[in-house]
Amino acid sequence: MKVLIDNGHGENTPGKRSPDGRLREWAYSREIADMVVVGLRKLGIDAERIVKEDTDVPLSERCRRANAIYKEAGKKAILVSIHCNAGNGSSWMSAKGWSVFVSNNASSNSKKLADCLGQVAECIPVPVRKQMPGREYWEQNLAICRDTNCPAVLTENFFQDNKEDVEYLLSREGKDAVAQIHIEGIVKYLGL
């Protein structure tokens, strides 16, 4: 099984940063994506980032890349897209916590992957935001999940416009926890 990691946004994407500018989503998501890839590879799992560029890569191209790798891998791949959430992104807000999304047309395997990630997040424990009680994931019409052929999820790793979340995200403890959620959630999904 090949694990594809999509690091959200690019350095040229407007906004996508904490109000004080200390956290920039493009840089943070790449750092976490690299930690996840390295952690998975140490466990013998075939993992790679699908976006190597620092500039933004359109969603259509990200999906095309994921679908091509999925086909090359004999339809044995999953995709996890890593992001930081935001209420409005321009001022400090009160929304906080970790969440995972699937598309409205999600496969049972996408939902299973999301459940595995959410269960690991709760065990760490970090505050997990849920759309409804008893379900680990949110459903939303997200292109990266909707337009890829493999099981796909998108994680929103806390809020870049919540002061407490930003402090946590920028801490060593926070970075390690976010990477751990992804690594252990993927391992759980793969049944390893």
Side-chain angles (χ1 to χ4, degrees):
M1 180 71 68
K2 188 145 185 110
V3 178
L4 308 177
I5 303 296
D6 173 55
N7 33 278
H9 306 293
E11 65 182 338
N12 57 326
T13 308
K16 307 297 182 191
R17 66 190 62 183
S18 60
D20 62 6
R22 291 175 50 223
L23 187 147
R24 297 182 185 269
E25 185 176 4
W26 77 272
Y28 187 84
S29 66
R30 278 159 178 73
E31 181 179 0
I32 297 301
D34 287 340
M35 290 172 69
V36 171
V37 167
V38 167
L40 291 171
R41 286 179 178 169
K42 282 181 182 175
L43 298 171
I45 298 168
D46 186 6
E48 73 172 273
R49 270 181 39 197
I50 64 167
V51 175
K52 313 287 194 285
E53 302 89 341
D54 285 342
T55 55
D56 204 13
V57 172
L59 285 168
S60 59
E61 174 60 15
R62 291 169 186 255
C63 294
R64 188 202 65 71
R65 290 177 187 183
N67 289 337
I69 296 167
Y70 178 64
K71 185 177 178 184
E72 289 167 16
K75 297 187 176 181
K76 293 186 184 306
I78 60 173
L79 172 76
V80 178
S81 186
I82 299 173
H83 295 259
C84 295
N85 215 336
N88 73 15
S90 60
S91 59
W92 294 113
M93 305 294 286
S94 61
K96 59 188 301 179
W98 183 92
S99 52
V100 60
F101 291 78
V102 298
S103 67
N104 297 333
N105 66 343
S107 67
S108 59
N109 283 333
S110 293
K111 292 174 181 177
K112 178 183 172 189
L113 176 57
D115 279 336
C116 290
L117 289 161
Q119 290 162 9
V120 168
E122 287 186 323
C123 288
I124 284 194
V126 298
V128 176
R129 303 178 76 240
K130 298 181 182 184
Q131 193 171 21
M132 62 179 60
R135 191 172 82 185
E136 297 293 338
Y137 54 83
W138 296 66
E139 288 185 2
Q140 202 168 350
N141 190 29
L142 301 169
I144 194 70
C145 296
R146 180 193 67 226
D147 298 339
T148 50
N149 298 328
C150 58
V153 300
L154 182 145
T155 60
E156 291 284 11
N157 296 283
F158 301 91
F159 280 77
Q160 61 193 348
D161 55 6
N162 177 291
K163 279 185 181 181
E164 290 175 33
D165 277 6
V166 168
E167 291 303 322
Y168 183 68
L169 286 166
L170 293 174
S171 72
R172 181 80 268 148
E173 175 193 6
K175 289 177 183 180
D176 289 344
V178 170
Q180 182 184 358
I181 290 167
H182 291 84
I183 294 165
E184 290 183 15
I186 290 164
V187 166
K188 183 178 175 98
Y189 172 82
L190 297 175
L192 302 174

